[in-house]
C-alpha cells in the first residue's frame, strides 16, 4: 500500500442546494468548508454544473480564496466551465458527464467517445499544473484508456454498488452489489498497477464504504449526500436550541 490513510473529499454541493432552494444568504458555503477543513477532511469537492443548480461561480472563487485544503472541481467538458477552471486553478478537476435532467451524475464518462477532446483537456490542465481525474465506470478498458490519455487519476463510479448495498434495487440488490464490488476491485487493481491515483465516489454512506475501504486500494473518497444528510440529523439539536434562544431569550 502506497499511502497510510485514504483521503476524504467532502462534496458540499447539497449545502448549496439548501441555499438555492430559497435564495437565502445561508447556509454559507465558506463557513461549511471551514468546518469540513477543521474536522480533518483533506479536500472540498464541488460540482459547478452547467445549469448552476447548486454551486454558483462566486462560490468557486470564494472557496478557492478562503479554504486551506485542496479543491476538487467536478465539471463537464463545456468550454464555459473549462474556462472558469483554468482561471480558478483548483488542485484537481474531475471530469464528469452531465445531463440537464439528471438528479445526480449518472454513469461514468464515455472516455472512448470523447478521447480526442479529453486528451486536449488533460494536456491543457496539466500545463497549468491542475491534476485531472476522470469519473469513470469501474471497467478495465476505460481505466486503461484513461491512463493512455494521460489522466492523473480515475474516480471509480460506485453508485450501483452503493445502491445494491443499501438494498435499493429490490431483489437484484445483493447480486448487483457483489458484481459491482468485483468490478471496483479489479478496476482499482489495474489503476494501481498502471500508476494512476485511484479515487472512488457516488452513493457512499458510513456502512457501504467500509467494504471498499477494506480493499486498501482506494486513495481518495469523494462523499457528499450522506454527510450532508447526517449533518442535518446530528446538527438539529443545536439548531433548535439556537432558535429557541433567539425567540425566548433574544
Ligand atoms: N464524485 C462524483 C464525481 C460525483 O458526481 C458525486 C455526486 O456529485 C460524488 C462523488 C458524491 O456523491 P454522493 O453525493 O452520492 O456522495
Amino acid at each position: 500500500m502506497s499511502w497510510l490513510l485514504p483521503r476524504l473529499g467532502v462534496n458540499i454541493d447539497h449545502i448549496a442546494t439548501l441555499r438555492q432552494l430559497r435564495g437565502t444568504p445561508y447556509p454559507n458555503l465558506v463557513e461549511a468548508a471551514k468546518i469540513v477543513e477543521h474536522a480533518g477532511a483533506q479536500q472540498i469537492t464541488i460540482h459547478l454544473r452547467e445549469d448552476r443548480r447548486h454551486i454558483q461561480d462566486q462560490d468557486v472563487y470564494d472557496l478557492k480564496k478562503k479554504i486551506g485544503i485542496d479543491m476538487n472541481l467536478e465539471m463537464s467538458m463545456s468550454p464555459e466551465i473549462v474556462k472558469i477552471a483554468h482561471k480558478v486553478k483548483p488542485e484537481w478537476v474531475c471530469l464528469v458527464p452531465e445531463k440537464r435532467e439528471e438528479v445526480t451524475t449518472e454513469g461514468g464518462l464515455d472516455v472512448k467517445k470523447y478521447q480526442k477532446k479529453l486528451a486536449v483537456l488533460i494536456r491543457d490542465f496539466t500545463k497549468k499544473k491542475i491534476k485531472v481525474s476522470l469519473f469513470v465506470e469501474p471497467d478495465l478498458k476505460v481505466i486503461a484508456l484513461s491512463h493512455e490519455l494521460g489522466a492523473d487519476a480515475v474516480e471509480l463510479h460506485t453508485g450501483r454498488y452503493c445502491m445494491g448495498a443499501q438494498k435499493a434495487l429490490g431483489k437484484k440488490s445483493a447480486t448487483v452489489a457483489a458484481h459491482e464490488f468485483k468490478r471496483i476491485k479489479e478496476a482499482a487493481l489495474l489503476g494501481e498497477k498502471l500508476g494512476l491515483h485511484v479515487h472512488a465516489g457516488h452513493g457512499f454512506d458510513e456502512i457501504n464504504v467500509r467494504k471498499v475501504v477494506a480493499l486498501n486500494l482506494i486513495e481518495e473518497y469523494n462523499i457528499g449526500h450522506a454527510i450532508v444528510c447526517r449533518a442535518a440529523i446530528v446538527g438539529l439539536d443545536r439548531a433548535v436550541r439556537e432558535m429557541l434562544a433567539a425567540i425566548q431569550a433574544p
Side-chain angles (χ1 to χ4, degrees):
M1 198 171 85
S2 51
W3 61 92
L4 290 173
L5 286 171
R7 290 158 46 84
L8 175 63
V10 178
N11 182 314
I12 56 171
D13 291 350
H14 295 308
I15 309 250
T17 300
L18 289 173
R19 181 193 62 196
Q20 296 308 113
L21 214 54
R22 289 274 189 100
T24 45
Y26 56 80
N28 181 297
L29 278 214
V30 171
E31 189 183 354
K34 289 273 174 204
I35 294 170
V36 167
E37 181 177 349
H38 189 248
Q42 285 76 19
Q43 174 169 283
I44 293 292
T45 293
I46 46 173
H47 184 174
L48 183 66
R49 290 183 59 96
E50 289 166 48
D51 61 14
R52 306 298 200 276
R53 72 166 71 146
H54 38 55
I55 299 294
Q56 306 298 304
D57 299 27
Q58 195 58 46
D59 293 325
V60 186
Y61 293 110
D62 289 349
L63 287 164
K64 186 69 191 88
K65 201 154 59 178
K66 297 194 175 138
I67 60 173
I69 50 178
D70 286 358
M71 173 185 281
N72 174 31
L73 182 63
E74 291 178 8
M75 53 182 280
S76 70
M77 294 181 279
S78 131
E80 184 219 353
I81 307 283
V82 170
K83 211 166 145 189
I84 295 173
H86 276 273
K87 209 161 142 194
V88 174
K89 287 181 119 210
E91 282 71 19
W92 283 92
V93 291
C94 178
L95 296 170
V96 304
E98 205 175 290
K99 289 191 219 119
R100 294 240 155 184
E101 65 283 11
E102 69 194 356
V103 174
T104 180
T105 318
E106 293 164 357
L109 263 181
D110 191 338
V111 179
K112 190 157 190 271
K113 181 170 171 189
Y114 296 110
Q115 56 181 304
K116 282 201 183 125
K117 203 168 171 182
L118 285 168
V120 173
L121 286 173
I122 294 170
R123 183 200 64 200
D124 292 350
F125 279 126
T126 306
K127 264 193 213 155
K128 290 229 165 166
K129 299 197 165 32
I130 300 169
K131 289 175 278 186
V132 184
S133 163
L134 303 182
F135 185 53
V136 295
E137 291 298 315
D139 176 283
L140 299 184
K141 282 194 187 136
V142 176
I143 305 300
L145 186 53
S146 302
H147 174 251
E148 256 177 58
L149 295 178
D152 297 285
V154 281
E155 178 168 324
L156 304 178
H157 190 320
T158 52
R160 266 191 309 279
Y161 156 74
C162 290
M163 287 185 77
Q166 287 168 344
K167 300 190 173 49
L169 301 172
K171 282 186 190 156
K172 293 183 297 181
S173 294
T175 319
V176 172
H179 176 67
E180 288 296 317
F181 180 75
K182 189 164 169 273
R183 291 178 81 213
I184 291 166
K185 181 177 176 182
E186 285 166 4
L189 278 168
L190 177 62
E192 190 188 47
K193 193 170 139 203
L194 294 172
L196 284 164
H197 293 284
V198 183
H199 304 167
H202 219 287
F204 281 123
D205 60 40
E206 275 179 58
I207 298 167
N208 61 23
V209 77
R210 288 168 198 263
K211 192 167 168 189
V212 180
V213 170
L215 289 172
N216 251 347
L217 292 167
I218 308 294
E219 194 174 333
E220 175 184 300
Y221 292 85
N222 286 299
I223 307 180
H225 189 257
I227 295 175
V228 175
C229 289
R230 182 74 184 139
I233 297 299
V234 298
L236 191 56
D237 181 89
R238 172 151 171 204
V240 171
R241 285 170 201 278
E242 284 179 3
M243 191 57 80
L244 273 174
I247 64 172
Q248 292 179 347

